[in-house]
Amino acid sequence: MDFKQALEKIDRERFFGEEPFASKKTLAAIYSPTYAVTCPYLFTIALAENAIENGVELLLDTEVVDLKTKDGRVSEVVTSKGIIKSSLVINAAGVFADDIAQMAKAQEYTIHPKKGATILFDKQTAKFINHPMSHLKLPKKQHYKGGGVMVTVDENIQWGPTQRESDDKNDVSVSESDLEDIFNRYTMLIPDFPYAKLIAYFTGLRASTFTEDFIIRPARSIDGFIHVAGIQSPGLTAAPAIAKKVLGIIKDMNISLKKKDGFVAKRKKPVVFRDCTSKRKHELVKQNEMYGNIICRCETVTEAEIVNAVHGIVPARTVDAVKRRTRAGMGRCQGGFCLSKVAEIIARERDVSVESVTKKGDDSFLFFGKAKCLLSDNTD
Ligand SMILES: Cc1cc2nc3c(=O)[nH]c(=O)nc-3n(C[C@H](O)[C@H](O)[C@H](O)COP(=O)(O)OP(=O)(O)OC[C@H]3O[C@@H](n4cnc5c(N)ncnc54)[C@H](O)[C@@H]3O)c2cc1C
């Protein structure tokens, strides 16, 4: 596709027909018909589930802590749950890719995370924006990372992300200045936007290298080790092309690969109750009464969907894992009403105590005992 096909100039009249709430200072717009929005976590979960159906073994909550080499080649991956023998390792560890490469004595770059803060608005604001938009400042004086205002696949409006260097690979905090930065940049695009309807903000870390480019190649100093590092934006979009490139590298290593017989190309879509017709909803409730019990009122998520997620192909074991599969807790109240109910369902289905259920793994515990015990004499 050439440049002319990829972009289209839109005059003011057509632009305001499509985007009536945009700033009246807009002179013209450029439309990119090939631009698309996906849901990064549902996309990734779908790929992981499909990989498992095709024979991949996925180890959750398993940290790579060391890599062993023998005769100039990787030989073992040491994990928090045991050793995996392997003569081929693909290093796709995001912001930690340089640390993993160092374990294999193949550190050929360093990762310098760049924080990207984003804010999310209530679905009620969806009418204010019909297309992802950003402003183009002319003349272009410096390189700046995209970002803009957009509608997510779930019809929330999202503003951002920012770009800020960080020296902490675990810092996903959002500061006051991040929020100011976003508001300063985008309120001018949609002046009457009801920005008090903000419901959430969060940060992601881009795995940047000093060359600001993807590093997809075999290690120079050790055999059997492939770098897939520096995969910052647009790494998600580029993922299928990156996979093809890695496949080519493996072939060049003379490792014989056999096409899988009976490859499962499709994945069964989970039931999304809120999207069903009334007739289908009645059928579902008849089949399983847990479809009649709404746990998340903001997003209309049923008990049955949460149970399905907990027992899914990639099981959801934490409150955030359930949230990313079902949207329970992603609505206006951000889990204020349903969080404890979701935790109880996870505990019940996994046969563990509710106190052991975490927000997102590790020590992100949500409960520390029963509140009413504080009223009794026995406060131990
Ligand atoms: C704010 C922001 C906006 C973005 N916007 C876009 C966009 O619009 N379009 C687009 O295409 N891309 C976008 N991206 C980029 C995209 O998210 C990344 O390119 C993509 O997630 C990189 O995937 P990855 O698998 O290489 O790394 P990651 O997604 O970071 O995955 C790395 C994995 O390795 C695991 N790991 C690390 N160390 C260890 C260890 N020692 N043991 C076990 N596991 C380990 C981590 O837990 C993680 O699961 C954006 C990124 C950010 C931060």
Side-chain angles (χ1 to χ4, degrees):
M1 180 179 291
D2 70 21
F3 180 72
K4 278 188 187 153
Q5 282 175 304
L7 298 173
E8 197 182 326
K9 189 180 159 211
I10 308 288
D11 62 28
R12 287 194 86 212
E13 199 186 355
R14 183 170 157 206
F15 176 68
F16 289 118
E18 304 250 356
E19 294 292 349
F21 293 98
S23 165
K24 296 292 176 274
K25 289 182 182 162
T26 309
L27 299 174
I30 296 170
Y31 174 58
S32 169
T34 58
Y35 187 103
V37 175
T38 187
C39 174
Y41 39 88
L42 284 184
F43 175 60
T44 315
I45 292 164
L47 291 176
E49 290 194 354
N50 180 258
I52 290 169
E53 283 203 63
N54 282 297
V56 165
E57 192 183 340
L58 178 69
L59 303 178
L60 295 172
D61 301 322
T62 309
E63 187 183 357
V64 173
V65 291
D66 202 3
L67 281 156
K68 301 278 181 214
T69 58
K70 199 177 170 196
D71 303 330
R73 189 176 189 93
V74 288
S75 58
E76 288 178 351
V77 180
V78 184
T79 79
S80 52
K81 292 196 180 153
I83 292 174
I84 302 164
K85 287 194 182 305
S86 178
S87 55
L88 179 66
V89 169
I90 299 168
N91 174 20
V95 288
F96 296 99
D98 53 349
D99 300 307
I100 298 285
Q102 193 174 28
M103 291 176 194
K105 297 175 190 60
Q107 197 190 7
E108 296 158 15
Y109 46 83
T110 48
I111 305 284
H112 308 274
K114 283 193 187 138
K115 289 176 75 173
T118 297
I119 58 178
L120 209 61
F121 295 93
D122 192 297
K123 284 179 183 178
Q124 276 182 344
T125 62
K127 69 168 187 183
F128 283 86
I129 294 165
N130 295 317
H131 302 84
M133 284 187 283
S134 194
H135 52 286
L136 195 61
K137 281 188 195 157
L138 294 173
K140 193 177 166 191
K141 286 187 183 143
Q142 63 183 72
H143 173 82
Y144 64 99
K145 163 75 185 72
V149 299
M150 60 163 232
V151 195
T152 70
V153 292
D154 298 297
E155 296 185 342
N156 289 98
I157 297 293
Q158 187 174 328
W159 288 12
T162 57
Q163 179 153 282
R164 203 184 284 271
E165 306 234 342
S166 170
D167 53 12
D168 182 350
K169 292 182 177 184
N170 294 303
D171 179 11
V172 286
S173 61
V174 180
S175 67
E176 197 180 331
S177 64
D178 288 328
L179 296 179
E180 270 173 15
D181 190 6
I182 297 175
F183 279 111
N184 288 342
R185 269 205 281 169
Y186 302 122
T187 34
M188 61 177 285
L189 268 176
I190 318 282
D192 296 328
F193 190 87
Y195 47 83
K197 298 221 178 282
L198 185 156
I199 56 168
Y201 43 80
F202 42 85
T203 282
L205 293 170
R206 303 178 184 89
S208 332
T209 61
F210 279 132
T211 55
E212 296 285 351
D213 204 357
F214 296 169
I215 297 173
I216 309 165
R217 56 172 158 79
R220 294 186 183 119
S221 50
I222 192 95
D223 289 335
F225 190 87
I226 302 174
H227 300 291
V228 185
I231 311 294
Q232 53 170 317
S233 193
L236 186 80
T237 315
I242 294 173
K244 276 191 180 167
K245 182 155 179 149
V246 173
L247 193 65
I249 295 171
I250 297 173
K251 281 183 185 160
D252 289 346
M253 289 173 157
N254 291 324
I255 295 175
S256 82
L257 295 168
K258 196 173 152 271
K259 207 162 190 176
K260 185 179 189 293
D261 290 332
F263 175 74
V264 184
K266 288 195 176 165
R267 160 186 175 259
K268 199 171 165 225
K269 189 176 181 267
V271 172
V272 182
F273 189 79
R274 68 182 160 276
D275 292 344
C276 294
T277 60
S278 294
K279 186 170 170 257
R280 178 74 184 130
K281 282 180 180 165
H282 278 105
E283 283 167 9
L284 286 167
V285 177
K286 257 192 199 164
Q287 282 164 22
N288 177 355
E289 62 185 22
M290 281 196 272
Y291 279 110
N293 186 14
I294 305 294
I295 300 296
C296 171
R297 290 189 271 174
C298 303
E299 294 292 315
T300 321
V301 182
T302 64
E303 184 179 0
E305 289 165 273
I306 295 168
V307 171
N308 293 345
V310 175
H311 298 296
I313 298 174
V314 182
R317 299 171 178 170
T318 65
V319 169
D320 276 3
V322 166
K323 176 163 125 176
R324 294 204 178 96
R325 284 159 180 78
T326 64
R327 286 190 65 75
M330 279 199 187
R332 190 170 310 160
C333 86
Q334 289 289 296
F337 285 100
C338 67
L339 186 145
S340 58
K341 288 183 184 174
V342 170
E344 276 175 354
I345 296 169
I346 297 171
R348 183 190 76 205
E349 294 300 312
R350 295 195 62 217
D351 198 17
V352 295
S353 72
V354 76
E355 287 86 354
S356 70
V357 176
T358 61
K359 177 172 159 50
K360 52 179 181 169
D362 294 330
D363 57 356
S364 60
F365 294 105
L366 294 157
F367 310 104
F368 300 92
K370 296 202 169 27
K372 281 202 175 147
C373 75
L374 299 174
L375 298 174
S376 75
D377 289 341
N378 182 4
T379 51
D380 290 349

PDB file of all heavy atoms in Angstrom, residues 14-15 58 66 98 122 126 165 167 205 310 328 338-339 366:
ATOM      1  N   ARG A  14     -16.503  17.812   6.425  1.00  0.00           N
ATOM      2  CA  ARG A  14     -16.637  16.370   6.651  1.00  0.00           C
ATOM      3  C   ARG A  14     -16.139  16.001   8.057  1.00  0.00           C
ATOM      4  O   ARG A  14     -16.745  15.181   8.738  1.00  0.00           O
ATOM      5  CB  ARG A  14     -15.846  15.602   5.576  1.00  0.00           C
ATOM      6  CG  ARG A  14     -16.023  14.122   5.728  1.00  0.00           C
ATOM      7  CD  ARG A  14     -15.465  13.333   4.571  1.00  0.00           C
ATOM      8  NE  ARG A  14     -15.169  11.979   5.015  1.00  0.00           N
ATOM      9  CZ  ARG A  14     -14.270  11.200   4.475  1.00  0.00           C
ATOM     10  NH1 ARG A  14     -13.563  11.606   3.441  1.00  0.00           N
ATOM     11  NH2 ARG A  14     -14.062   9.988   4.937  1.00  0.00           N
ATOM     12  N   PHE A  15     -15.051  16.660   8.447  1.00  0.00           N
ATOM     13  CA  PHE A  15     -14.474  16.347   9.760  1.00  0.00           C
ATOM     14  C   PHE A  15     -15.496  16.603  10.879  1.00  0.00           C
ATOM     15  O   PHE A  15     -15.737  15.758  11.736  1.00  0.00           O
ATOM     16  CB  PHE A  15     -13.194  17.161   9.989  1.00  0.00           C
ATOM     17  CG  PHE A  15     -12.609  16.956  11.359  1.00  0.00           C
ATOM     18  CD1 PHE A  15     -12.068  15.734  11.720  1.00  0.00           C
ATOM     19  CD2 PHE A  15     -12.614  17.980  12.299  1.00  0.00           C
ATOM     20  CE1 PHE A  15     -11.539  15.528  12.996  1.00  0.00           C
ATOM     21  CE2 PHE A  15     -12.087  17.781  13.571  1.00  0.00           C
ATOM     22  CZ  PHE A  15     -11.546  16.554  13.913  1.00  0.00           C
ATOM     23  N   LEU A  58       2.126 -23.902  29.352  1.00  0.00           N
ATOM     24  CA  LEU A  58       2.326 -22.554  29.907  1.00  0.00           C
ATOM     25  C   LEU A  58       2.557 -22.668  31.407  1.00  0.00           C
ATOM     26  O   LEU A  58       1.748 -23.262  32.121  1.00  0.00           O
ATOM     27  CB  LEU A  58       1.080 -21.693  29.633  1.00  0.00           C
ATOM     28  CG  LEU A  58       1.074 -20.278  30.182  1.00  0.00           C
ATOM     29  CD1 LEU A  58       2.066 -19.394  29.458  1.00  0.00           C
ATOM     30  CD2 LEU A  58      -0.321 -19.673  30.077  1.00  0.00           C
ATOM     31  N   ASP A  66      17.862 -17.958  36.358  1.00  0.00           N
ATOM     32  CA  ASP A  66      19.224 -18.126  35.830  1.00  0.00           C
ATOM     33  C   ASP A  66      19.171 -18.913  34.523  1.00  0.00           C
ATOM     34  O   ASP A  66      18.160 -19.564  34.211  1.00  0.00           O
ATOM     35  CB  ASP A  66      20.103 -18.873  36.850  1.00  0.00           C
ATOM     36  CG  ASP A  66      21.590 -18.618  36.627  1.00  0.00           C
ATOM     37  OD1 ASP A  66      21.928 -17.825  35.714  1.00  0.00           O
ATOM     38  OD2 ASP A  66      22.402 -19.215  37.347  1.00  0.00           O
ATOM     39  N   ASP A  98      17.176  -7.407  29.123  1.00  0.00           N
ATOM     40  CA  ASP A  98      18.641  -7.270  29.305  1.00  0.00           C
ATOM     41  C   ASP A  98      19.130  -8.105  30.495  1.00  0.00           C
ATOM     42  O   ASP A  98      20.220  -8.684  30.455  1.00  0.00           O
ATOM     43  CB  ASP A  98      19.063  -5.799  29.444  1.00  0.00           C
ATOM     44  CG  ASP A  98      18.298  -5.039  30.513  1.00  0.00           C
ATOM     45  OD1 ASP A  98      17.288  -5.573  31.032  1.00  0.00           O
ATOM     46  OD2 ASP A  98      18.707  -3.913  30.851  1.00  0.00           O
ATOM     47  N   ASP A 122     -15.512   7.000  31.830  1.00  0.00           N
ATOM     48  CA  ASP A 122     -16.763   6.239  31.836  1.00  0.00           C
ATOM     49  C   ASP A 122     -17.314   6.104  30.405  1.00  0.00           C
ATOM     50  O   ASP A 122     -17.166   7.009  29.583  1.00  0.00           O
ATOM     51  CB  ASP A 122     -17.767   7.042  32.689  1.00  0.00           C
ATOM     52  CG  ASP A 122     -18.997   6.258  33.018  1.00  0.00           C
ATOM     53  OD1 ASP A 122     -19.741   5.875  32.089  1.00  0.00           O
ATOM     54  OD2 ASP A 122     -19.226   6.036  34.202  1.00  0.00           O
ATOM     55  N   ALA A 126     -18.714   8.131  25.631  1.00  0.00           N
ATOM     56  CA  ALA A 126     -18.366   7.562  24.318  1.00  0.00           C
ATOM     57  C   ALA A 126     -18.816   8.443  23.157  1.00  0.00           C
ATOM     58  O   ALA A 126     -18.153   8.498  22.123  1.00  0.00           O
ATOM     59  CB  ALA A 126     -18.942   6.164  24.186  1.00  0.00           C
ATOM     60  N   GLU A 165      10.911   9.010  30.904  1.00  0.00           N
ATOM     61  CA  GLU A 165      11.977   8.043  31.215  1.00  0.00           C
ATOM     62  C   GLU A 165      11.874   7.617  32.676  1.00  0.00           C
ATOM     63  O   GLU A 165      11.461   8.409  33.520  1.00  0.00           O
ATOM     64  CB  GLU A 165      13.346   8.682  30.987  1.00  0.00           C
ATOM     65  CG  GLU A 165      13.479   9.253  29.586  1.00  0.00           C
ATOM     66  CD  GLU A 165      14.689   8.735  28.851  1.00  0.00           C
ATOM     67  OE1 GLU A 165      15.596   8.217  29.505  1.00  0.00           O
ATOM     68  OE2 GLU A 165      14.699   8.849  27.612  1.00  0.00           O
ATOM     69  N   ASP A 167      13.972   5.028  35.812  1.00  0.00           N
ATOM     70  CA  ASP A 167      15.090   4.122  36.082  1.00  0.00           C
ATOM     71  C   ASP A 167      14.642   2.933  36.925  1.00  0.00           C
ATOM     72  O   ASP A 167      15.448   2.170  37.423  1.00  0.00           O
ATOM     73  CB  ASP A 167      16.262   4.871  36.750  1.00  0.00           C
ATOM     74  CG  ASP A 167      15.808   5.628  37.990  1.00  0.00           C
ATOM     75  OD1 ASP A 167      14.678   5.389  38.434  1.00  0.00           O
ATOM     76  OD2 ASP A 167      16.597   6.440  38.504  1.00  0.00           O
ATOM     77  N   LEU A 205       5.046   0.217  30.964  1.00  0.00           N
ATOM     78  CA  LEU A 205       6.464   0.530  30.747  1.00  0.00           C
ATOM     79  C   LEU A 205       6.905   0.042  29.373  1.00  0.00           C
ATOM     80  O   LEU A 205       6.766  -1.142  29.062  1.00  0.00           O
ATOM     81  CB  LEU A 205       7.325  -0.149  31.820  1.00  0.00           C
ATOM     82  CG  LEU A 205       7.154   0.366  33.246  1.00  0.00           C
ATOM     83  CD1 LEU A 205       7.878  -0.544  34.222  1.00  0.00           C
ATOM     84  CD2 LEU A 205       7.653   1.789  33.381  1.00  0.00           C
ATOM     85  N   VAL A 310     -12.292 -18.578  35.886  1.00  0.00           N
ATOM     86  CA  VAL A 310     -11.439 -19.239  36.890  1.00  0.00           C
ATOM     87  C   VAL A 310     -11.025 -20.632  36.403  1.00  0.00           C
ATOM     88  O   VAL A 310      -9.906 -21.076  36.650  1.00  0.00           O
ATOM     89  CB  VAL A 310     -12.169 -19.330  38.265  1.00  0.00           C
ATOM     90  CG1 VAL A 310     -11.346 -20.125  39.276  1.00  0.00           C
ATOM     91  CG2 VAL A 310     -12.457 -17.930  38.810  1.00  0.00           C
ATOM     92  N   ALA A 328     -15.329  -7.648  34.967  1.00  0.00           N
ATOM     93  CA  ALA A 328     -15.854  -7.423  36.328  1.00  0.00           C
ATOM     94  C   ALA A 328     -14.909  -6.478  37.059  1.00  0.00           C
ATOM     95  O   ALA A 328     -13.729  -6.786  37.216  1.00  0.00           O
ATOM     96  CB  ALA A 328     -15.970  -8.741  37.081  1.00  0.00           C
ATOM     97  N   CYS A 338     -18.208  -5.110  43.473  1.00  0.00           N
ATOM     98  CA  CYS A 338     -18.062  -6.536  43.127  1.00  0.00           C
ATOM     99  C   CYS A 338     -16.734  -7.159  43.552  1.00  0.00           C
ATOM    100  O   CYS A 338     -16.601  -8.378  43.541  1.00  0.00           O
ATOM    101  CB  CYS A 338     -18.280  -6.743  41.631  1.00  0.00           C
ATOM    102  SG  CYS A 338     -17.019  -5.993  40.594  1.00  0.00           S
ATOM    103  N   LEU A 339     -15.731  -6.364  43.915  1.00  0.00           N
ATOM    104  CA  LEU A 339     -14.405  -6.931  44.191  1.00  0.00           C
ATOM    105  C   LEU A 339     -14.458  -8.070  45.210  1.00  0.00           C
ATOM    106  O   LEU A 339     -13.933  -9.154  44.972  1.00  0.00           O
ATOM    107  CB  LEU A 339     -13.456  -5.825  44.661  1.00  0.00           C
ATOM    108  CG  LEU A 339     -12.008  -6.255  44.856  1.00  0.00           C
ATOM    109  CD1 LEU A 339     -11.064  -5.116  44.475  1.00  0.00           C
ATOM    110  CD2 LEU A 339     -11.702  -6.685  46.278  1.00  0.00           C
ATOM    111  N   LEU A 366      -5.538  -8.693  49.465  1.00  0.00           N
ATOM    112  CA  LEU A 366      -6.657  -7.761  49.569  1.00  0.00           C
ATOM    113  C   LEU A 366      -7.309  -7.793  50.942  1.00  0.00           C
ATOM    114  O   LEU A 366      -7.897  -6.822  51.390  1.00  0.00           O
ATOM    115  CB  LEU A 366      -7.731  -8.137  48.531  1.00  0.00           C
ATOM    116  CG  LEU A 366      -7.324  -7.971  47.074  1.00  0.00           C
ATOM    117  CD1 LEU A 366      -8.172  -8.860  46.173  1.00  0.00           C
ATOM    118  CD2 LEU A 366      -7.474  -6.515  46.671  1.00  0.00           C
TER     119      LEU A 366
END
